[in-house]
Amino acid sequence: MIKTVLWDVDATLLNFEASEEISIQKLFAKYGVEMDEERLAIYQKINRGYWLGLEEGRYDRHTVLTKRFDDFFDVLGLPHQDTDAMNDFYQLALGTYVVKNKGAKETLEAIGALGLPQYVVSNGSTIAQENKLENSHFDRYMKDVFISEKIGYEKPDPRFFKAVAESIHYDPKKTVIIGDSLTSDMTGGVNAGLKTIWYNPKHLENALHLPIDHTIEDLTEVIEIVKNEK
């Protein structure tokens, strides 16, 4: 049975790549750096490495949010900038230029109509995530929002899920997490004893061999899964 629904935001409810590209273009334009596909790919590779390191506990959040820019400037052979100021601008941009994933709104509405409480569980920054939810109007579907920056632990850390459980008193066996990331959402969900739905529109391999309950490529598939297990 499913009685509680936990949602990831970036690359699940929202198209993070589209938002990222717009925001990165605006950020680096502010600093006089021209961005093309090659440079964007370089930045994204650096960025992914830092976020993975955060999930694995190798970096703290401030390091991730600032050093990615230092490394990018190093690759381009450009002088470093005030990376704290850069990150502040970028987080605001990410929260402003939101792009909804197909089927997200319909799915949230349908689950809400079933009377199931929905919550956000995110590793994104507080200012970006709160603005994203407000600007996408997805906040109206959420009973509460749990962001790792506020909790003090990142998904998949069991302490993140413990904090959420202590706040909303969910039954793990009746709770599902829906997300795109194997390393944070699915690993965290499996380790916390939750039901799992992997949003995998790119048909990636389950390289971690996690015992995922459902794999979907369209968010609206969540509706039938929840109905069948409600």
Side-chain angles (χ1 to χ4, degrees):
M1 298 175 65
I2 293 176
K3 295 298 182 182
T4 307
V5 179
L6 308 181
W7 284 101
D8 176 52
V9 176
D10 292 329
T12 302
L13 290 172
L14 297 178
N15 185 330
F16 179 75
E17 289 184 356
S19 177
E20 177 189 49
E21 184 169 354
I22 296 170
S23 301
I24 282 293
Q25 293 284 0
K26 292 187 176 294
L27 171 66
F28 285 110
K30 177 179 172 66
Y31 288 86
V33 178
E34 291 188 15
M35 293 294 288
D36 54 23
E37 289 186 7
E38 181 180 358
R39 287 183 170 183
L40 179 61
I42 291 170
Y43 167 79
Q44 289 173 330
K45 182 178 180 180
I46 293 170
N47 186 51
R48 284 194 297 271
Y50 273 110
W51 279 101
L52 181 60
L54 180 69
E55 294 170 7
E56 294 174 345
R58 292 185 285 113
Y59 302 124
D60 61 34
R61 175 170 289 272
H62 183 261
T63 296
V64 172
L65 297 180
T66 56
K67 283 291 292 177
R68 54 185 175 175
F69 298 129
D70 284 335
D71 287 6
F72 181 66
F73 282 125
D74 284 342
V75 172
L76 297 188
L78 297 174
H80 290 190
Q81 301 290 334
D82 181 344
T83 50
D84 283 311
M86 289 185 71
N87 180 61
D88 289 343
F89 180 94
Y90 180 56
Q91 296 303 323
L92 287 172
L94 282 174
T96 301
Y97 304 103
V98 295
V99 180
K100 301 174 185 178
N101 268 334
K102 180 187 175 205
K105 181 175 181 290
E106 295 88 335
T107 303
L108 292 175
E109 285 182 343
I111 293 176
L114 293 172
L116 298 181
Q118 301 179 83
Y119 301 87
V120 161
V121 287
S122 173
N123 276 356
S125 73
T126 301
I127 188 168
Q129 300 311 88
E130 289 181 348
N131 286 338
K132 287 175 187 178
L133 292 167
E134 180 179 356
N135 290 327
S136 65
H137 306 299
F138 286 169
D139 55 347
R140 67 184 63 176
Y141 302 105
M142 302 302 169
K143 191 168 182 181
D144 207 344
V145 175
F146 298 95
I147 299 175
S148 59
E149 189 174 43
K150 286 186 174 181
I151 290 177
Y153 304 106
E154 316 287 334
K155 295 179 297 183
D157 193 316
R159 291 171 292 184
F160 175 94
F161 292 93
K162 181 180 179 182
V164 176
E166 289 176 347
S167 177
I168 64 178
H169 308 292
Y170 66 67
D171 180 345
K173 295 180 180 179
K174 299 179 182 179
T175 301
V176 65
I177 182 171
I178 305 156
D180 69 293
S181 172
L182 282 176
T183 54
S184 64
D185 305 315
M186 297 299 99
T187 296
V190 168
N191 290 343
L194 309 179
K195 294 179 180 292
T196 49
I197 299 178
W198 184 26
Y199 176 54
N200 184 25
K202 295 182 179 180
H203 304 104
L204 302 176
E205 178 188 358
N206 180 358
L208 300 181
H209 306 292
L210 296 170
I212 295 168
D213 293 301
H214 303 277
T215 299
I216 62 172
E217 61 181 63
D218 189 308
L219 287 174
T220 58
E221 294 177 62
V222 173
I223 301 170
E224 288 305 311
I225 293 172
V226 170
K227 279 183 179 179
N228 291 335
E229 298 190 25
K230 183 175 180 295

